[in-house]
Amino acid sequence: MDKVLRIKILALFLHMGCAAILFGQDAPTAAASLLYTAPATEWMQALPVGNGRLGAMVFGHPSGERIQLNEDSMWPGGPDWGDSRGNPADLREIRALLKAGKTREADSLIVARFSYKSVLRSHQTMGDLYIDFKGINTVQEYYRSLDLGSAVAKVTFRTGGYEHSREVFSSFPDGVLVIRLKTNDPNGMDFDLRLSRPEDQGRATVGITMPADSIIRMKGMVTQYGGMKNSQPFPIDYGVQFDTRLKVRTSSGKLNAGNDVLQVRDAKEAVLLVVCRTSFYEADRYEEDAANALVKLESRTYNEIKAAHLQDYSALYNRVSLELGGEDADSLPTDRRLERYREGQDDPGLAALLFRYGRYLLIASSRQGTNPANLQGLWNEHIQAPWNADYHLNVNLQMNYWPANPTGLGELQMPYFDFIDRVLERGRATAREQYGMSGSVVHHATDLWAPAWMRAERAYWGAWIHGGGWAVQHYWEHFRYTNDTTFLRERAYPALRSVAEFYVDWLVWDEELDLWVSSPETSPENSYFSEAGIPAAVSYGSAMGHQIIGEVFDNLIAAAEILGLSDDFLKEVIAKREKLHPGTLIGADGRILEWNKAYGEPEPGHRHISHLYALYPGVTITAADTSVFHAAQRTIDHRLEHGGAGTGWSRALMINMNARLLDAVSLRENIRKFMEISVAPNLFDEHPPFQIDGNFGFTAGVAEALLQSHEGFLRILPALPASWKTGSVKGLIARGAVRVDIDWENGALTKLALRAAHRQSCFVYYQGKRVKLILPAGQPVVLNGSLLVEPEN
Ligand code: FUC
C-alpha cells in the first residue's frame, strides 16, 4: 500500500472514530458498508434502500438532499390488450417455409403474423423528495454510507461546528420509508420539503396537496407518452393509480405548510415517514389505505420502527457470511477501492462485498407479497426506463433469482413464483389462440400485466417461445433446495405440467431424423448466416430450445414420481422425451452447435450463450461426460476470443459457467473484468445502462465457485480462485436443504460443516476424494480438510 493511501486510510479511521463518539450508533460503520466521502452527483452514485415494494435512492447532498422514490407497481396500462395474434394456419405456413429452407421468409413472416410490435410501456419512478436545507454552506467530515448489516443508508457531516446526521431505511414490517434528520446544533435545522414527479411528455403526472401542516400528498395515475390521444408512438392514458404521503414528525421544530413546500424550522430532530398505496395492490381502497397507513404509524416511535426493521432484515441477511481476505480495505471509500482495483491491486474483499450486496439487493427488492425484482430491481428514476425496466425472460428475470436458494434466501423467490403463475395463466390463452395448442406458452418478455404474447419487431429477439420453459426450472430447483413436497405438489407440478402440455403439442415429428423436433426456434437474440448468406434467426431447431424442453420433461417426470402420479399425459411425455432431439450436439470444430446446423455466425462473441443452458443454469452438461464438457469449454473460449461476455449480466453468466466448468483461472479473470467494466460507483451492475441482473448473477457465481450440488453430490470449493487464499463461507445452501459452512487456508479446505434439515445420505467430493455421509436431521456433521469426520461427531 502506498504511503499517501495509508495516511488517508488512517485519517478516515480517525474521522470515523470521531464520528462514532459524536453520533454513537449513528456513525458510519466501515465493515460491510458502501462508503463515500462526497455526496452523489449522479443517480448511479446514489445508494439504494428498499422493502421489496417501496424503494429509494439516497443522494446525500448536505444542503439540497434528493431522495428518489420508487414503488414496484407503478405501471401504465392494464391487462386488457388481448392475448394473441395469428393462428394455427400461420404456424403451419412458417413451419413449411423452414422445412423448405426458406429461413429469411420465415423470419419476417413470424413477426408479421404473430407479434404485437412496439409494445413500449415502462415501470416508472414514483418521484422525488427534495429537502432544501437553509444555511448549510461549507461542510467537513462528510461521510455517506450504506450499511449492509442493517440496511440503513447514512449521511453525516459537520457544519458551523455542529454535527448533522441522516438515516434512511425502508421497513418491510411497517411498510414505510423512514428518514431521520438530526443535529446537535442548539438552533436546530431549517428546511423545506417538496415532493414532485417528472412530467410525462410535458404533462403533469401528479397533483400535490397538503391535507395537514405535517403532510404532503402526491396523487396521480401512471400514464405514458403523455397519455394524450395525439402523442407518439401511441398514448397509454390509463394505468395504476397511486397515493403517496409524507408525514413529518418533529417535537422540537415548527411546521408550516406553504404553497408547494412544507417548511420545517428549528428542528433538532425530524422523522419523515413516506407511504405509498396503489390501485394495483389495494384496488379502490388505495387512498383510504394510504391515509390509514400514516394513522397506524402514529403509535410507533422511530426507535420501534427501526428495531422492527433491523430484526426483520437481519433475520434474512445474517444467514450467510463470507470472508475472502483483504478486509483491511473495507475501511476505504468504495469508489476509491474500485479505482484501486482497476489500477491493478487485487482485492478479494471487494468480491465479498459485491456478493453481500447482491443478497442485500434481493432482500430490498423482493419480499413476500411484492412484485418480483424487475430489470432494475426496484430502483428506476425514469418515466420511460431502458428496456422498460420490465421482465425479460430470456435470461434476465431468472438471473435475478439465481442467488436466492444457494445463498439462503429461498423464500424471497415467492414473488417470482406468484408472478410467473400469472404469466403462465395468460400463456394458456396465448397457446390456445395463437398456436391452437394446449398448455401454456410464454414469449421473451412480459411486464406487470403478465402478458405472454410475442412482442417482437425482429424475430431474433422476440420470436422465442421458452419464457415459460426456463421460468419453471426455478420451481423444480426450489423444491430440490428445500425438499418441500407441498410446494412441489401445489406450485411446481402444475407449473411444469402447463408448460409440458404446450411442448407435447408443439413438437413435430421428423421422419428423417426419427426424432421430435421443436420448430420454429430461435436462440435468444442471436442470428446466423442463412443459406443465402444473410443473417436470419428462425431455425429448424436450436440447442437451447431442445435442452429446455428436455429439462421440463425430465423435471415433470421426476416430480410425478415423487408425488406418486401417473396418467396418459405423463406416458406421452415419457415417450416424447425418449425420442426428443438431444439438443446438445458437437460440431466439427469441437464446439456445441447453437442451431440445428453449423451455421456461420455474424456475432461470434454474442453476449447470450444460450446453447450452454444445459451447463448453467441447467444441470445436464457435467464433468461426467468429458466430451460434452470439453465442447462446452471450447464454446466458451470461442465466445471470449471474440469479445464475448461484454455486458454486465453476460459477464455474470460467464462467471457461473466458469464455475460449472471447474475453471478457477477463467473465473478469476472474469470477476476481474466484471469489476473493471461492469460496476458503477454505487456497485450497481452496468449493462450498460444499469441492469440489476448482473449484481444477482455475480452473487450466484461466487456461491457457485465455493459450492455446487447439481450433480447429485456436494462439490466443495470447485472453482476457488487462487487470490481467495484464505477464507470462510457460512450458511450456503445445497440441494437437499443442507446448510454448508466451509473454511479454507492457503487454498486448501480445512473444515467443512454440514447440517441437513432432514435425515439423508450425501456424497461429498473435494479434490479427487469422495466420501459418503449420513446426515442426521438438524445435527451438524463436521469434517476436516481430508474429509474425515471430526471425532466430536
Ligand atoms: C435481453 C438482453 C439484453 C438486455 C435486455 C434487457 O434481451 O439480450 O442484453 O439485457 O434483455
Side-chain angles (χ1 to χ4, degrees):
M1 199 186 296
D2 67 55
K3 203 171 154 198
V4 178
L5 189 60
R6 232 180 299 151
I7 292 169
K8 278 190 188 160
I9 294 175
L10 187 67
L12 186 65
F13 263 133
L14 288 175
H15 277 325
M16 288 173 53
C18 283
I21 294 161
L22 293 166
F23 289 94
Q25 282 187 351
D26 300 335
T29 49
S33 285
L34 278 65
L35 180 68
Y36 305 83
T37 53
T41 50
E42 286 166 21
W43 194 83
M44 286 296 271
Q45 296 170 346
L47 296 172
V49 296
N51 67 2
R53 176 175 172 185
L54 190 60
M57 294 290 283
V58 183
F59 282 65
H61 200 282
S63 59
E65 178 65 281
R66 176 185 175 200
I67 297 181
Q68 188 262 317
L69 307 167
N70 280 113
E71 198 276 345
D72 73 358
S73 67
M74 299 276 284
W75 277 83
D80 52 351
W81 282 2
D83 287 302
S84 60
R85 283 188 89 137
N87 57 50
D90 295 322
L91 181 63
R92 282 195 292 278
E93 197 178 336
I94 290 160
R95 283 182 165 168
L97 284 171
L98 274 175
K99 197 73 181 134
K102 295 182 179 171
T103 36
R104 291 277 301 161
E105 282 173 50
D107 233 59
S108 46
L109 205 63
I110 203 167
V111 173
R113 294 289 168 83
F114 290 125
S115 171
Y116 281 91
K117 294 180 198 173
S118 299
V119 177
L120 290 173
R121 53 185 186 189
S122 176
H123 174 253
Q124 296 185 3
T125 177
M126 179 170 131
D128 295 275
L129 162 63
Y130 292 102
I131 315 175
D132 295 320
F133 290 87
K134 316 290 168 195
I136 296 184
N137 299 314
T138 50
V139 302
Q140 298 91 35
E141 294 163 33
Y142 178 94
Y143 300 105
R144 177 168 72 91
S145 66
L146 174 62
D147 178 12
L148 303 184
S150 62
V152 178
K154 295 179 187 175
V155 181
T156 57
F157 57 87
R158 294 173 72 93
T159 183
Y162 296 106
E163 293 88 41
H164 284 245
S165 77
R166 294 173 199 162
E167 288 195 345
V168 184
F169 61 90
S170 187
S171 159
F172 178 70
D174 282 293
V176 60
L177 178 77
V178 185
I179 300 145
R180 190 193 62 176
L181 313 167
K182 200 174 163 186
T183 183
N184 62 0
D185 183 340
N187 294 318
M189 300 167 285
D190 293 346
F191 55 89
D192 292 349
L193 296 167
R194 190 161 52 87
L195 284 178
S196 74
R197 187 164 188 267
E199 292 183 338
D200 173 14
Q201 299 205 342
R203 268 185 93 196
T205 55
V206 282
I208 311 253
T209 51
M210 295 195 197
D213 62 4
S214 62
I215 295 177
I216 314 179
R217 182 181 185 199
M218 180 161 72
K219 201 172 118 46
M221 179 170 71
V222 183
T223 60
Q224 203 166 344
Y225 309 112
M228 303 282 279
K229 289 278 179 259
N230 60 357
S231 63
Q232 294 297 322
F234 58 90
I236 305 179
D237 54 4
Y238 58 98
V240 169
Q241 294 166 47
F242 55 90
D243 190 340
T244 301
R245 297 184 191 216
L246 175 149
K247 184 177 169 73
V248 191
R249 265 190 210 167
T250 173
S251 47
S252 53
K254 296 191 276 290
L255 299 175
N256 181 28
N259 262 350
D260 56 353
V261 297
L262 204 159
Q263 297 174 338
V264 183
R265 297 291 178 264
D266 309 329
K268 285 198 223 149
E269 182 177 331
V271 175
L272 318 181
L273 302 170
V274 180
V275 297
C276 177
R277 296 294 186 267
T278 73
S279 59
F280 177 80
Y281 285 105
E282 280 88 20
D284 51 8
R285 301 182 326 272
Y286 73 97
E287 293 173 66
E288 202 185 316
D289 278 11
N292 286 343
L294 287 182
V295 173
K296 246 173 105 183
L297 286 163
E298 272 167 22
S299 62
R300 309 269 290 153
T301 66
Y302 174 79
N303 286 340
E304 282 166 356
I305 298 173
K306 188 173 172 188
H309 158 73
L310 290 178
Q311 195 182 18
D312 162 73
Y313 172 79
S314 54
L316 293 164
Y317 183 78
N318 290 345
R319 288 178 189 168
V320 169
S321 65
L322 174 69
E323 302 302 333
L324 295 178
E327 278 76 21
D328 51 330
D330 278 350
S331 52
L332 277 176
T334 307
D335 40 1
R336 173 68 196 120
R337 194 171 181 181
L338 259 179
E339 224 172 75
R340 209 180 63 136
Y341 189 93
R342 288 168 182 167
E343 285 158 5
Q345 176 138 0
D346 208 357
D347 182 357
L350 188 56
L353 183 63
L354 261 171
F355 169 87
R356 295 181 201 120
Y357 195 42
R359 295 186 71 250
Y360 167 82
L361 292 172
L362 193 61
I363 301 170
S365 63
S366 187
R367 298 296 300 271
Q368 195 93 29
T370 70
N371 285 305
N374 66 31
L375 279 175
Q376 298 192 179
L378 173 60
W379 302 278
N380 164 29
E381 65 168 339
H382 304 281
I383 292 288
Q384 172 65 62
W387 289 291
N388 307 320
D390 61 17
Y391 301 104
H392 273 56
L393 293 167
N394 63 11
V395 69
N396 316 87
L397 178 60
Q398 290 91 338
M399 187 178 281
N400 285 359
Y401 288 91
W402 286 351
N405 279 312
T407 76
L409 299 174
E411 74 265 49
L412 300 191
Q413 219 176 165
M414 286 303 155
Y416 169 93
F417 295 130
D418 295 344
F419 176 70
I420 295 296
D421 282 355
R422 289 173 50 220
V423 186
L424 290 175
E425 192 52 42
R426 287 198 68 177
R428 284 187 171 277
T430 310
R432 191 176 57 244
E433 294 171 10
Q434 187 159 317
Y435 301 125
M437 294 177 190
S438 51
S440 176
V441 64
V442 180
H443 293 87
H444 95 294
T446 184
D447 61 30
L448 183 76
W449 306 113
W453 28 253
M454 190 188 291
R455 49 167 83 193
E457 277 171 50
R458 304 279 302 278
Y460 77 91
W461 53 266
W464 189 69
I465 54 150
H466 298 291
W470 188 341
V472 297
Q473 186 214 33
H474 286 233
Y475 290 69
W476 170 248
E477 287 293 350
H478 187 69
F479 163 70
R480 292 194 70 199
Y481 274 96
T482 58
N483 279 347
D484 181 348
T485 44
T486 308
F487 178 84
L488 183 68
R489 187 180 317 106
E490 290 172 7
R491 306 293 299 265
Y493 188 79
L496 282 161
R497 183 158 172 141
S498 70
V499 175
E501 279 169 7
F502 170 73
Y503 286 148
V504 159
D505 281 3
W506 171 263
L507 290 172
V508 287
W509 180 249
D510 186 302
E511 292 284 349
E512 284 159 54
L513 294 174
D514 194 31
L515 290 172
W516 291 102
V517 173
S518 172
S519 170
E521 270 293 353
T522 55
S523 194
E525 320 232 357
N526 205 355
S527 54
Y528 61 88
F529 285 121
S530 66
E531 285 77 0
I534 305 165
V538 176
S539 61
Y540 185 69
S542 74
M544 181 186 237
H546 289 129
Q547 289 172 4
I548 290 179
I549 297 170
E551 191 189 80
V552 168
F553 284 175
D554 288 344
N555 296 343
L556 183 78
I557 295 163
E561 255 170 47
I562 295 164
L563 297 171
L565 303 173
S566 168
D567 59 23
D568 287 347
F569 173 72
L570 285 165
K571 285 182 195 141
E572 193 179 353
V573 170
I574 292 167
K576 288 202 166 161
R577 176 63 179 121
E578 273 167 14
K579 283 282 188 181
L580 179 68
H581 189 290
T584 310
L585 294 179
I586 303 174
D589 63 359
R591 288 185 292 138
I592 290 172
L593 295 186
E594 186 158 353
W595 294 275
N596 56 321
K597 288 186 194 162
Y599 295 112
E601 298 159 293
E603 262 190 89
H606 198 272
R607 62 194 182 285
H608 285 264
I609 318 170
S610 305
H611 40 332
L612 294 192
Y613 173 88
L615 174 70
Y616 188 91
V619 298
T620 48
I621 298 180
T622 67
D625 182 341
T626 39
S627 62
V628 177
F629 199 63
H630 289 146
Q633 182 68 63
R634 264 192 217 117
T635 308
I636 282 203
D637 293 345
H638 191 261
R639 275 288 207 264
L640 287 172
E641 281 155 21
H642 292 84
T647 68
W649 68 257
S650 180
R651 187 74 61 192
L653 169 65
M654 181 59 75
I655 291 166
N656 284 280
M657 288 187 166
N658 295 149
R660 283 280 170 94
L661 286 168
L662 314 175
D663 184 351
V665 173
S666 193
L667 182 130
R668 180 181 177 182
E669 183 53 24
N670 283 302
I671 284 184
R672 166 160 288 285
K673 293 230 168 85
F674 185 77
M675 306 274 199
E676 280 173 3
I677 304 167
S678 305
V679 177
N682 61 2
L683 302 191
F684 269 168
D685 162 62
E686 294 269 29
H687 184 287
F690 165 47
Q691 226 177 265
I692 205 159
D693 39 23
N695 287 103
F696 294 132
F698 180 88
T699 295
V702 169
E704 205 65 22
L706 301 173
L707 172 72
Q708 291 175 22
S709 61
H710 61 289
E711 297 159 283
F713 56 88
L714 307 192
R715 246 185 219 275
I716 309 302
L717 303 178
L720 185 71
S723 54
W724 300 354
K725 260 199 186 134
T726 294
S728 82
V729 64
K730 309 247 180 283
L732 288 184
I733 305 294
R735 289 171 183 79
V738 182
R739 196 198 124 111
V740 182
D741 300 345
I742 308 170
D743 290 281
W744 66 96
E745 273 172 37
N746 292 319
L749 176 72
T750 51
K751 186 176 163 193
L752 172 67
L754 307 174
R755 187 194 288 259
H758 324 276
R759 185 183 163 81
Q760 61 193 279
S761 65
C762 147
F763 287 98
V764 176
Y765 181 94
Y766 175 66
Q767 291 199 342
K769 192 165 181 204
R770 191 180 153 108
V771 296
K772 185 179 179 185
L773 302 167
I774 303 293
L775 303 179
Q779 291 295 315
V781 173
V782 180
L783 294 90
N784 65 17
S786 311
L787 296 190
L788 295 171
V789 176
E790 292 285 356
E792 64 258 36
N793 291 288

